[in-house]
Amino acid sequence: MPDSRPTIGIVSLCSATPQVELSLGVGLLIEAGFDVRVHPQCAEQHYWFAGKDESRAGALYEFAQDPEVDVIWSARGGSGGPRLLPILDELTAKQGKPAKKLLAGYSDVTALHQYVYSRWGWSTLHAPMPASDFHDTHDDHFKAMLDLVCKQRVER
């Protein structure tokens, strides 16, 4: 893997994540030369969410604090993103603001985009997600998006 490729951490921030689709999306990122770490939380389910609110917020914050993870990519959207905001405020107050990274995703992740931008000073990317959209992305669009993600390591 080229050194210029950032490490991508995948978390499920909203609705429960279909594991087969996630595996396919992760495979595409690995095939493109990325080091990908999937948080174990991605396999959780609590009602229609990808685990309890504390678990989803904790997974995001854990990867946010991990110096080896450059980009945090939401596995999928759905619902439940705004429910994490007060928990992230508590974690930030107790443990501090994480270093700058990139958050990628869309749908209910939009509230988290605004949060990490305004509270943590992060960059955000409204982008397809590994467990829901990668199979529909055209090759040239997918490559352009990954090229943009690669710039994260340079700009950090």
Side-chain angles (χ1 to χ4, degrees), residues 81-104:
R83 297 166 56 115
L84 307 185
L85 303 180
I87 301 167
L88 293 172
D89 273 343
E90 289 176 23
L91 290 168
T92 302
K94 290 178 186 173
Q95 299 179 43
K97 182 173 79 168
K100 186 173 179 163
K101 297 183 189 245
L102 173 69
L103 176 65

Side-chain angles (χ1 to χ4, degrees), residues 2-152:
D3 290 339
S4 64
R5 297 263 184 206
T7 297
I8 296 172
I10 297 179
V11 294
S12 291
L13 300 173
C14 301
S15 294
T17 302
Q19 298 301 296
V20 171
E21 289 85 346
L22 178 60
S23 294
L24 293 171
V26 168
L28 289 171
L29 290 170
I30 291 170
E31 187 178 301
F34 290 92
D35 179 23
V36 180
R37 294 176 48 197
V38 178
H39 199 283
Q41 169 273 330
C42 288
E44 294 179 15
Q45 184 167 354
H46 180 71
Y47 297 103
W48 56 86
F49 301 116
K52 293 183 178 181
D53 296 345
E54 295 78 10
S55 180
R56 292 180 289 125
L60 171 59
Y61 196 82
E62 181 183 329
F63 274 176
Q65 291 284 56
D66 188 331
E68 294 181 11
V69 174
D70 303 294
V71 175
I72 298 177
W73 211 314
S74 184
R76 66 166 297 181
S79 64
R83 297 166 56 115
L84 307 185
L85 303 180
I87 301 167
L88 293 172
D89 273 343
E90 289 176 23
L91 290 168
T92 302
K94 290 178 186 173
Q95 299 179 43
K97 182 173 79 168
K100 186 173 179 163
K101 297 183 189 245
L102 173 69
L103 176 65
Y106 74 98
S107 182
D108 222 45
V109 180
T110 303
L112 297 163
H113 280 284
Q114 184 59 29
Y115 182 91
V116 300
Y117 173 78
S118 66
R119 303 280 171 88
W120 296 348
W122 285 19
S123 299
T124 68
L125 179 63
H126 186 271
M129 295 175 283
S132 59
D133 307 295
F134 277 11
H135 63 280
D136 286 336
T137 306
H138 298 284
D139 288 341
D140 54 340
H141 298 156
F142 191 69
K143 182 183 178 318
M145 177 186 62
L146 295 181
D147 287 346
L148 184 61
V149 168
C150 285
K151 294 180 188 298
Q152 175 61 21

